Amino acid sequence: MKRKTANSAAVCPCGSGQLYASCCGRYHRGQPVPSAEALMRSRYSAFVLGDEGYLRQSWAAENLPDEPLLDAAVKWLGLSILSTEAGGEQDQTGVVTFIARYKINGRAGRMQESSRFVREQGLWRYLDGDVGDVATS
Ligand SMILES: [Zn+2]
């Protein structure tokens, strides 16, 4: 899988409205992620940018899938964070509920997931998630 080049001066794919370099780009370069929501956003951006290495590294070791994480047919169009529970500086776990919009083979879809995050050796990792309604249009 060829990795797309992230433009540091571009707006971050996660939809924060900040520049990539000062948003998810920091975490893709290895800076520790401060919260579950920031990890969620940086993982979404990694999906957009095709950064499989970051997706694997930010996945809890016990649940890391064997199969490839990226599907070249999926084009991610946007992320909306609906709610967050815990996942802050003083927490060991957190839940982030979000909607991600995508297109696959020209068909638009959206997925809703409540993702669970945990700290491993102090660093936030994606544990697993409950996928909700998947609506296509
Ligand atoms: Zn971002």
Side-chain angles (χ1 to χ4, degrees):
M1 172 88 42
K2 190 163 178 286
R3 186 172 161 183
K4 290 169 207 153
T5 308
N7 180 352
S8 306
V11 173
C12 193
C14 79
S16 65
Q18 299 178 57
L19 295 180
Y20 170 72
S22 54
C23 188
C24 300
R26 292 177 291 171
Y27 311 132
H28 293 169
R29 287 196 310 272
Q31 199 169 308
V33 183
S35 68
E37 180 177 336
L39 186 69
M40 169 62 229
R41 287 181 172 280
S42 67
R43 284 176 51 82
Y44 173 81
S45 292
F47 271 106
V48 173
L49 298 170
D51 189 343
E52 173 136 5
Y54 184 82
L55 292 170
R56 292 193 169 275
Q57 168 209 311
S58 61
W59 211 301
E62 65 194 272
N63 281 351
L64 181 63
D66 291 329
E67 63 266 24
L69 303 174
L70 294 168
D71 181 345
V74 178
K75 182 172 164 42
W76 294 97
L77 300 177
L79 173 71
S80 303
I81 305 284
L82 300 182
S83 66
T84 63
E85 295 164 41
E89 310 251 350
Q90 310 301 324
D91 299 310
Q92 293 302 312
T93 61
V95 178
V96 179
T97 302
F98 65 92
I99 287 175
R101 292 181 297 110
Y102 59 86
K103 243 182 191 180
I104 181 163
N105 300 325
R107 274 166 57 96
R110 39 189 256 156
M111 63 167 290
Q112 181 171 333
E113 181 178 314
S114 290
S115 296
R116 276 183 290 276
F117 297 88
V118 293
R119 284 189 194 266
E120 283 182 352
Q121 279 101 45
L123 300 173
W124 284 109
R125 299 287 188 239
Y126 172 71
L127 183 63
D128 58 15
D130 295 324
V131 177
D133 296 335
V134 178
T136 55
S137 58

